[in-house]
Amino acid sequence: MKFGRLKRHNYISHLSPTSTLQRTQHLILNEEFTTEVEPLKINQSKAEEIALRKAVVDAKSEQWKKENRKAMESTNQWVEENGLPFTKYRQF
């Protein structure tokens, strides 16, 4: 597997034999916020990963909508003019 050049303070490591390669990143968090997190015993690394995954999914979704806006608009216009296809075969 080929990796691009890593920025300073980013390291690749194996977390377990079955895991994928992961990159350690250092985040600067508000101290007031972190003091709330610690007593709750929240796995900060996992929470950050989940939040980043969601952000990536949301960004890709928005990008797809922008790229396909014209096609969606033309399909909606066709349905408004012609109705839903196969409506006569619907049993509900």
Side-chain angles (χ1 to χ4, degrees):
M1 196 176 287
K2 191 173 185 178
F3 291 97
R5 176 174 240 177
L6 298 176
K7 294 181 181 177
R8 187 176 178 197
H9 299 298
N10 289 338
Y11 308 97
I12 296 176
S13 63
H14 286 296
L15 294 183
S16 72
T18 59
S19 72
T20 59
L21 286 177
Q22 300 203 2
R23 182 180 297 172
T24 300
Q25 298 203 335
H26 302 276
L27 299 174
I28 298 172
L29 301 172
N30 182 317
E31 185 177 347
E32 184 178 316
F33 177 70
T34 56
T35 57
E36 290 181 36
V37 171
E38 290 171 1
L40 299 171
K41 298 188 192 260
I42 294 173
N43 182 334
Q44 291 182 24
S45 179
K46 190 67 172 174
E48 292 160 3
E49 180 181 352
I50 290 168
L52 285 171
R53 284 181 187 272
K54 183 182 181 323
V56 167
V57 167
D58 291 347
K60 284 183 176 182
S61 175
E62 286 303 313
Q63 180 181 8
W64 185 91
K65 288 175 187 177
K66 285 178 185 176
E67 291 171 355
N68 292 284
R69 182 181 51 83
K70 289 181 181 179
M72 290 171 28
E73 287 174 354
S74 68
T75 300
N76 289 339
Q77 182 180 352
W78 187 91
V79 170
E80 285 179 21
E81 294 170 0
N82 301 295
L84 291 171
F86 305 110
T87 301
K88 64 182 178 182
Y89 299 110
R90 295 177 129 187
Q91 297 185 10
F92 55 91

